[in-house]
Amino acid sequence: MSVNQQAHTGPPYGQPQPGYQGYQQPVYGGQPLPGVPQSQYGAYNGPMPGYQQPVPPQGSSRAPPTSGPPPPASGASLPSGHLAYSQFGHGDVQNGIPASAAPMQRPPASQLFLPGSAPTPVSQTSTFQQYGPPPASVQQLSNHMAGMTVGSTTASAPPPAGLGYGPPTSVPPVSGSFSATGSSLYTPYTASQGSPPTSVSQGLPLAQPPFPGQPVSTQRLSTQVPGFAPPPSSTGIGPSSYPPTTGAPRPPTMPGPPLPGQTVAGPPTSQPNHVSSPPPPTTMSGLHPGPPMSGLHGPPPPTHPPQPGYQMQQNGSFGQMRGPQPNYGGAYPGTPNYGSQPGPPPPSKRLDPDSIPSPIQVIEDDRSNRGSEPFVTGVRGQVPPLVTTNFLVKDQGNASPRYIRCTSYNIPCTSDMAKQSQVPLAAVIKPLATLPPEETLPYLVDHGESGPVRCNRCKAYMCPFMQFIEGGRRFQCCFCSCVTEVPPQYFQHLDHTGKRVDFYDRPELSLGSYEFLATVDYCKNNKFPSPPAFIFMIDVSYNAVKSGLVRLICEELKSLLDYLPREGNMEESAIRVGFVTYNKVLHFYNVKSSLAQPQMMVVSDVADMFVPLLDGFLVNVNESRTVIASLLDQIPDMFADTRETEIVFAPVIQAGLEALKAAECAGKLFIFHTSLPIAEAPGKLKNRDDKKLINTDKEKTLFQPQTSFYNNLAKDCVAQGCCVDLFLFPNQYLDVATLGVVTYQTGGSIYKYAYFQLETDQDRFLNDLRRDVQKEVGFDAVMRVRTSTGIRATDFFGAFYMSNTTDVEMAGLDCDKTITVEFKHDDKLNEDSGALLQCALLYTSCAGQRRLRIHNLSLNCCTQLADLYRNCETDTLINYLAKYAYRGVLGSPVKTVRDALINQCAQILACYRKNCASPSSAGQLILPECMKLLPVYLNCVLKSDVLQPGPEVTTDDRAYIRQLVTSMDVAETNVFFYPRLLPLNKADVDSDSLPAAIRNSEERLSKGDMYLLENGLNIFVWVGVNVQQGLIQNLFGVSSFSQISNTLSTLPVLENPFSKKVRSIVDMLQVQRSRYMKLIIVKQEDKLEMLFKHFLVEDKSLSGGASYVDFLCHMHKEIRQLLS
């Protein structure tokens, strides 16, 4: 390969786009855009539908298949005398998986994505031994490529079906209807950028991976794209056409000025997760469907003398290249250049997006392959179906994936191997997760005064992996191997296989998840707890009263108090309630049932907070119903004429904490708060918002609290079991990073409604409030994760407090919160015994009962890297990496955090390439089958607002998202980083199903269609300019596109099938999410469209993020540098 071919050293990986600096954006927290209704920009702070009983979610959360009950398992009848909870008979195996069978795996083998060069069509064949039996039905992969020359190929086994990336069937990409010349505001790409010589070769995986350590034989189809000369066969490793990034320890990239014939583009532009971006240049009328914005690039570069460089192998995997496309004009600029000025180049080409791994395809394949069978947890180290698949779980000894998901289900035996692969070993644990109605809740086991049986040494709880010995008189701990006497009352004989004969009668011996009733030894001060209390604390300053918020809250509480959480069969809730209002001073209310009218007591000394009454502050709702109703009627009128704008914040939390202390119970504070607490009081804050700190070393201070006062207050709250939920209604900077500290460390939730307006935001707020009050919560919780010898829990992420290195303490833990735990090796592991995790959560239920919830999980261990890469879960990996990065911004510059993320993922993929993939040309990007979406998902994390904000993202938004994501589960991060995009025109009005999703790119949109996009916080309905009038009439009740109002916060209720179908889709999505999502109507070419485009995450974004195609090339370059 000629060394004179040049490399594209594009724009650095994340500068602001020239010319966009001071653009005022419509967003949910910044200043409103003149002429645009403010209510539009609450884009974050999503929420939750009127909370129904947990309904099996469709689609993105997991639930049983909707097509009907799962087929009954063969041989699953119960022997007589067994308890009904034991789903399967003695020794029966559900679905015929023998206990010793190899775990189910995703389609094994690796996929060769971006192939490099081969001078002529070649086929490589080599014999290989089968790894396990071949798949049951194996089809030949069809060849989608037009005009492809296929060399003579033979292979020892046909490749499995479903792994090809042909064009998607849902919406064909449209090209053409978009002028590629760019607007007059920007210099369009010129023809001075040629494309390198290219060969497109396609790698097809084999049906089965070989034995570990043996090369995979791979069938290659090599294609010459028309119009390209084949490249020389000895290709050097060249950097890809993606800007090098610097920072973080990583191999040097090729710096240097732009090469001849190359324009210096503005940075590739990215989709932040939720904000708006500048509107397109006015001359671009009639955009769509091409990629966003043609020619958004800076001035042409100065010309430099030609410089030697390496030409990247164009990795255009399967499918012919498309012609020039707007915004991708110079995907691979630079023509071969032999010491002279470049000659006339061939027309530029770009990588075909249909030829690279599609998230939609992977999700659909998993649904069709794994959605119909129940997931039976009896086998060690099984990788569960994806979070986007609906499936039923049958607990047979390991915790359901609804409670625990791991980054890998087969972990390396040694720390050296783990370091080599760089795959983080982590579990995302959701201890109180809601189950669909078809699944059984964990059984509650009462061992009486003796309490649960535990190991003497490590204190692990009795579980299915404990080994009974000496006829059942002792048991050996599966975590530390210590032998413990079985207490006499727990003794039971063993059968001929060494199992206790009561194995199926005891949940703790046969199930992965169960609960123990805790004894008094597990309680504070050795006495059983009182039922918890809820205290509602309402800001009654001028802003809160004027917006109608105070009246709205009081009206809602009248009915909501009848729905406080209660234990299964209780007549009424045991939770007591109290009320406080505040501005610069605090008002406490005595609502004792014997009073005719409520009494108000004012505490004006906020520097030394105390509760002025004990009796009558916390009351039973039913007993004090009339007094409470009277109070809630009076509060809005009492403060109707207030002129007080200054408010306090910390004293409000202190008051709630003191009230719970005095009542000797745990509980939750619901605080409704509107502005920065600037009144003289403890915890007073100043406005420190400073956009100039972005992209500097001081940027991290924006995410840190401005005073340590709140950290100390949080510590006191956790000690009392006082959890704080915060509802924020800001009209300007509020300092979420500081106000959120107590909420975050007590395990509470933050909800944010910027520019709150009754008519547009009331539904969302009330739905969030209802669900927040009604959901299952454990109080005064402590969680500990034990592991078998060889690994230990070293790091924790989530909303909690830690006073030591092992105990995760939460004043409150609800059914939506997750704790992410990272494990490291402290010894060698053994392939035979595997690795075990036990998560034990001690908490007080809403009725005041002290309980222990136990989740157990067994994992495989491996000595071959191929086994590790075959059993990873990319969605969980991304969840962990996002949380790791979002914590990193507290202490490091954002750029360092981004570079470290890219570097780690490049190392993961380079290790696979080096150790597990069959030898192939360096020009090929080879990704592990179960990690083929790692690049696209990682790019979404890098482009998120925390790591790469546009100029319009407020500091509060970034702090809010950072805290939200830290306790999200895997299903939530999946849709948050890669939103779901549904073509509404394809919805079948006669069925309950959702239309098939399409990829997140503007190319996939058609002017004549409507689309719905959801990311867990917002739902956008995008309407193309050419949508048929009939559809507009059916959905919006108006006769033309121009009459559609973009201020709608709900879709009008119209009596026609299309309206009913779209509304049912919206309702279905709302039920799946933990927050009620804000509905935003977006008309094509409207101001709001820039907000919508932020979520088309496969495209470039205006804040400097790369498109998926460009990022894949960049990752390829990083991997090649690591390998060379």
Side-chain angles (χ1 to χ4, degrees):
M1 171 173 182
S2 156
V3 286
N4 290 333
Q5 293 174 350
Q6 67 195 46
H8 172 36
T9 56
Y13 190 59
Q15 297 153 204
Q17 175 80 26
Y20 278 165
Q21 256 42 18
Y23 188 84
Q24 281 283 20
Q25 298 295 43
V27 303
Y28 54 72
Q31 298 309 312
L33 193 67
V36 179
Q38 291 179 340
S39 58
Q40 287 305 323
Y41 307 111
Y44 240 59
N45 19 330
M48 181 62 209
Y51 182 54
Q52 289 114 13
Q53 285 311 313
V55 174
Q58 310 288 322
S60 208
S61 303
R62 291 91 53 207
T66 47
S67 54
S74 53
S77 56
L78 288 174
S80 58
H82 278 225
L83 281 191
Y85 87 81
S86 153
Q87 294 132 309
F88 312 113
H90 200 87
D92 279 342
V93 178
Q94 190 73 350
N95 293 348
I97 302 180
S100 61
M104 284 163 56
Q105 288 156 352
R106 307 248 170 103
S110 62
Q111 182 90 10
L112 291 106
F113 282 122
L114 299 184
S117 59
T120 50
V122 286
S123 71
Q124 301 177 341
T125 55
S126 67
T127 53
F128 70 101
Q129 290 173 280
Q130 288 273 43
Y131 179 88
S137 72
V138 181
Q139 300 168 347
Q140 192 68 32
L141 195 64
S142 63
N143 174 6
H144 292 294
M145 300 191 214
M148 176 186 252
T149 10
V150 181
S152 56
T153 52
T154 53
S156 15
L163 290 179
Y165 292 95
T169 49
S170 50
V171 179
V174 186
S175 47
S177 58
F178 191 62
S179 122
T181 53
S183 88
S184 55
L185 295 178
Y186 299 96
T187 313
Y189 268 134
T190 57
S192 65
Q193 305 146 321
S195 207
T198 312
S199 107
V200 181
S201 71
Q202 171 180 9
L204 296 178
L206 283 175
Q208 292 289 329
F211 279 106
Q214 188 180 330
V216 183
S217 101
T218 312
Q219 174 184 9
R220 292 249 165 80
L221 305 176
S222 168
T223 315
Q224 248 66 65
V225 173
F228 284 95
S233 50
S234 61
T235 36
I237 300 203
S240 78
S241 66
Y242 192 85
T245 53
T246 50
R250 53 207 312 200
T253 52
M254 297 181 48
L259 298 165
Q262 189 185 323
T263 46
V264 177
T269 53
S270 100
Q271 264 56 36
N273 289 62
H274 62 295
V275 254
S276 59
S277 20
T282 45
T283 53
M284 298 169 65
S285 59
L287 40 132
H288 281 58
M293 252 115 37
S294 70
L296 274 187
H297 293 279
T303 40
H304 289 275
Q307 273 188 309
Y310 294 103
Q311 177 58 54
M312 166 191 168
Q313 280 307 317
Q314 165 121 354
N315 293 322
S317 81
F318 339 155
Q320 264 177 269
M321 300 278 180
R322 300 230 193 111
Q325 296 254 358
N327 210 28
Y328 287 99
Y332 305 110
T335 44
N337 147 16
Y338 303 101
S340 63
Q341 287 304 318
S348 76
K349 301 275 182 176
R350 68 173 261 241
L351 194 55
D352 178 1
D354 287 336
S355 65
I356 56 182
S358 155
I360 306 303
Q361 189 63 49
V362 171
I363 288 168
E364 282 307 316
D365 288 349
D366 193 76
R367 276 189 190 142
S368 55
N369 294 336
R370 306 197 62 183
S372 52
E373 287 292 304
F375 178 69
V376 183
T377 71
V379 178
R380 184 175 82 192
Q382 280 185 102
V383 182
L386 297 180
V387 285
T388 42
T389 299
N390 274 332
F391 60 100
L392 198 63
V393 179
K394 295 206 166 158
D395 185 341
Q396 289 195 356
N398 281 293
S400 160
R402 303 191 206 288
Y403 295 123
I404 308 183
R405 276 188 177 262
C406 295
T407 53
S408 178
Y409 288 79
N410 200 334
I411 60 181
C413 282
T414 64
S415 61
D416 290 347
M417 194 172 151
K419 282 195 192 96
Q420 185 186 358
S421 74
Q422 286 286 312
V423 176
L425 305 176
V428 180
I429 305 174
K430 196 174 182 183
L432 298 178
T434 308
L435 299 183
E438 298 83 350
E439 293 178 20
T440 317
L441 291 170
Y443 290 90
L444 182 59
V445 179
D446 183 357
H447 281 310
E449 287 181 15
S450 59
V453 178
R454 303 176 68 176
C455 165
N456 270 346
R457 184 199 289 159
C458 72
K459 300 290 182 236
Y461 294 86
M462 179 54 66
C463 72
F465 312 119
M466 298 288 191
Q467 199 65 44
F468 286 89
I469 52 175
E470 296 176 23
R473 285 190 295 279
R474 305 168 88 185
F475 68 91
Q476 183 167 26
C477 177
C478 51
F479 294 94
C480 70
S481 304
C482 172
V483 174
T484 301
E485 294 283 333
V486 173
Q489 71 278 10
Y490 196 72
F491 174 78
Q492 187 52 273
H493 295 285
L494 308 185
D495 66 13
H496 64 286
T497 64
K499 258 186 191 171
R500 283 172 57 120
V501 296
D502 62 353
F503 178 81
Y504 287 105
D505 302 335
R506 291 196 177 270
E508 73 273 22
L509 299 182
S510 52
L511 297 177
S513 301
Y514 42 86
E515 292 199 314
F516 291 120
L517 206 52
T519 58
V520 76
D521 310 337
Y522 292 88
C523 304
K524 259 188 201 156
N525 311 325
N526 274 4
K527 64 178 193 186
F528 285 112
S530 310
F534 282 1
I535 304 176
F536 297 91
M537 315 184 92
I538 305 167
D539 169 350
V540 289
S541 64
Y542 175 74
N543 276 344
V545 173
K546 183 190 65 166
S547 67
L549 182 62
V550 173
R551 190 171 295 280
L552 181 68
I553 293 168
C554 292
E555 280 302 313
E556 177 62 28
L557 286 179
K558 285 185 210 168
S559 55
L560 187 54
L561 294 177
D562 288 332
Y563 296 96
L564 298 176
R566 53 176 178 236
E567 291 293 329
N569 49 8
M570 288 172 57
E571 285 293 305
E572 61 176 56
S573 174
I575 293 173
R576 288 170 298 163
V577 296
F579 302 89
V580 173
T581 55
Y582 67 95
N583 39 44
K584 266 202 309 204
V585 297
L586 274 75
H587 323 105
F588 293 81
Y589 297 93
N590 184 345
V591 282
K592 198 172 176 180
S593 55
S594 55
L595 294 173
Q597 282 295 319
Q599 296 170 346
M600 175 161 105
M601 300 189 185
V602 180
V603 176
S604 51
D605 181 7
V606 289
D608 182 21
M609 187 41 64
F610 66 98
V611 179
L613 74 163
L614 281 181
D615 192 27
F617 179 62
L618 293 178
V619 296
N620 174 292
V621 174
N622 279 344
E623 289 167 12
S624 298
R625 183 175 298 280
T626 50
V627 194
I628 291 173
S630 170
L631 169 68
L632 293 172
D633 282 337
Q634 289 174 39
I635 287 175
D637 300 332
M638 250 190 297
F639 299 99
D641 302 325
T642 184
R643 285 280 168 268
E644 186 55 74
T645 55
E646 291 193 354
I647 54 175
V648 297
F649 183 68
V652 182
I653 298 177
Q654 287 171 324
L657 173 61
E658 292 304 320
L660 294 177
K661 271 186 185 164
E664 297 186 343
C665 68
K668 187 182 260 200
L669 313 182
F670 295 83
I671 302 181
F672 305 91
H673 188 84
T674 60
S675 49
L676 193 69
I678 52 174
E680 273 312 318
K684 173 185 171 181
L685 301 179
K686 59 180 193 292
N687 186 336
R688 51 153 188 174
D689 191 15
D690 188 357
K691 280 289 182 68
K692 293 197 285 295
L693 299 181
I694 292 179
N695 293 326
T696 69
D697 284 354
K698 288 196 176 151
E699 183 172 6
K700 56 178 181 264
T701 59
L702 296 175
F703 295 110
Q704 298 164 354
Q706 59 173 285
T707 157
S708 62
F709 180 86
Y710 288 95
N711 293 73
N712 298 326
L713 180 54
K715 187 175 170 183
D716 296 341
C717 286
V718 173
Q720 180 55 41
C722 168
C723 176
V724 179
D725 278 1
L726 192 50
F727 292 81
L728 297 173
F729 305 86
N731 289 335
Q732 71 259 317
Y733 178 71
L734 192 75
D735 203 346
V736 174
T738 306
L739 295 189
V741 166
V742 178
T743 297
Y744 186 65
Q745 295 191 15
T746 57
S749 305
I750 301 185
Y751 299 85
K752 181 161 158 289
Y753 312 87
Y755 302 112
F756 178 82
Q757 290 189 320
L758 269 186
E759 57 278 12
T760 52
D761 296 313
Q762 127 177 7
D763 276 357
R764 185 160 58 101
F765 161 58
L766 293 180
N767 276 296
D768 280 347
L769 176 60
R770 286 168 196 153
R771 184 163 196 275
D772 198 56
V773 167
Q774 295 173 32
K775 67 186 172 187
E776 184 188 354
V777 186
F779 293 94
D780 233 337
V782 183
M783 186 182 100
R784 182 175 281 195
V785 178
R786 294 179 173 82
T787 53
S788 52
T789 313
I791 52 170
R792 62 195 169 88
T794 54
D795 208 351
F796 300 86
F797 304 83
F800 52 74
Y801 174 79
M802 290 188 83
S803 54
N804 57 37
T805 56
T806 54
D807 294 336
V808 175
E809 298 173 48
M810 293 153 289
L813 172 69
D814 64 48
C815 55
D816 298 322
K817 295 282 185 304
T818 63
I819 293 94
T820 301
V821 185
E822 186 180 10
F823 303 97
K824 290 257 166 51
H825 286 77
D826 57 6
D827 203 349
K828 280 203 174 82
L829 291 166
N830 180 329
E831 271 189 289
D832 298 333
S833 52
L836 301 174
L837 318 176
Q838 184 178 77
C839 161
L841 177 77
L842 175 64
Y843 70 99
T844 301
S845 75
C846 58
Q849 202 176 49
R850 202 69 176 148
R851 295 181 176 182
L852 282 152
R853 180 168 287 201
I854 314 294
H855 297 298
N856 302 288
L857 187 64
S858 59
L859 302 172
N860 286 328
C861 297
C862 58
T863 53
Q864 300 293 332
L865 283 164
D867 292 326
L868 163 68
Y869 284 102
R870 205 175 283 128
N871 292 279
C872 287
E873 238 263 298
T874 299
D875 292 322
T876 310
L877 191 57
I878 288 291
N879 179 285
Y880 164 83
L881 290 171
K883 290 172 181 176
Y884 184 79
Y886 281 16
R887 185 176 67 184
V889 298
L890 291 173
S892 307
V894 171
K895 186 172 186 333
T896 310
V897 173
R898 292 163 46 82
D899 290 345
L901 266 185
I902 295 171
N903 190 44
Q904 179 166 9
C905 288
Q907 287 188 320
I908 291 172
L909 297 174
C911 173
Y912 174 80
R913 173 67 192 259
K914 184 176 171 187
N915 299 290
C916 309
S918 58
S920 60
S921 101
Q924 281 178 311
L925 172 58
I926 301 182
L927 301 171
E929 176 57 30
C930 65
M931 279 191 194
K932 62 189 175 197
L933 298 182
L934 188 60
V936 62
Y937 286 164
L938 178 71
N939 191 33
C940 297
V941 175
L942 293 168
K943 285 160 45 160
S944 65
D945 291 334
V946 173
L947 298 182
Q948 193 165 37
E952 69 298 323
V953 184
T954 69
T955 308
D956 275 345
D957 296 332
R958 296 178 74 194
Y960 174 66
I961 297 158
R962 199 190 75 74
Q963 294 199 9
L964 265 187
V965 168
T966 307
S967 43
M968 276 186 183
D969 71 11
V970 180
E972 287 171 320
T973 51
N974 174 273
V975 78
F976 180 74
F977 289 116
Y978 193 92
R980 179 151 56 160
L981 182 59
L982 306 173
L984 293 178
N985 298 45
K986 302 262 189 316
D988 178 358
V989 292
D990 300 320
S991 91
D992 293 337
S993 61
L994 295 173
I998 58 172
R999 289 171 66 170
N1000 276 294
S1001 169
E1002 193 171 350
E1003 280 193 359
R1004 312 277 166 177
L1005 305 181
S1006 151
K1007 286 183 182 183
D1009 289 345
M1010 292 191 226
Y1011 299 87
L1012 181 148
L1013 182 145
E1014 65 128 355
N1015 74 336
L1017 296 178
N1018 303 295
I1019 291 180
F1020 293 92
V1021 174
W1022 182 91
V1023 187
V1025 285
N1026 297 346
V1027 170
Q1028 293 167 4
Q1029 215 173 328
L1031 283 178
I1032 290 175
Q1033 182 73 51
N1034 282 345
L1035 190 56
F1036 298 104
V1038 295
S1039 56
S1040 71
F1041 178 81
S1042 59
Q1043 290 173 303
I1044 299 171
S1045 162
N1046 56 10
T1047 58
L1048 292 173
S1049 59
T1050 52
L1051 291 170
V1053 177
L1054 303 172
E1055 285 303 312
N1056 66 71
F1058 186 62
S1059 171
K1060 285 178 184 166
K1061 176 63 184 177
V1062 174
R1063 284 182 288 114
S1064 82
I1065 289 175
V1066 171
D1067 293 344
M1068 198 190 289
L1069 299 179
Q1070 293 284 24
V1071 172
Q1072 290 176 19
R1073 305 288 167 222
S1074 61
R1075 290 166 181 250
Y1076 194 85
M1077 296 181 278
K1078 177 174 181 135
L1079 180 75
I1080 301 171
I1081 308 294
V1082 179
K1083 292 156 71 176
Q1084 185 179 352
E1085 293 167 26
D1086 189 54
K1087 290 193 181 90
L1088 273 173
E1089 197 180 27
M1090 299 317 291
L1091 172 60
F1092 173 75
K1093 284 182 183 174
H1094 275 297
F1095 297 91
L1096 299 177
V1097 290
E1098 290 197 20
D1099 299 337
K1100 290 183 180 179
S1101 77
L1102 290 168
S1103 55
S1107 69
Y1108 175 20
V1109 168
D1110 288 349
F1111 185 72
L1112 199 57
C1113 297
H1114 178 61
M1115 283 304 284
H1116 188 201
K1117 184 191 73 177
E1118 293 284 318
I1119 292 164
R1120 287 165 70 161
Q1121 285 191 324
L1122 289 171
L1123 292 174
S1124 62

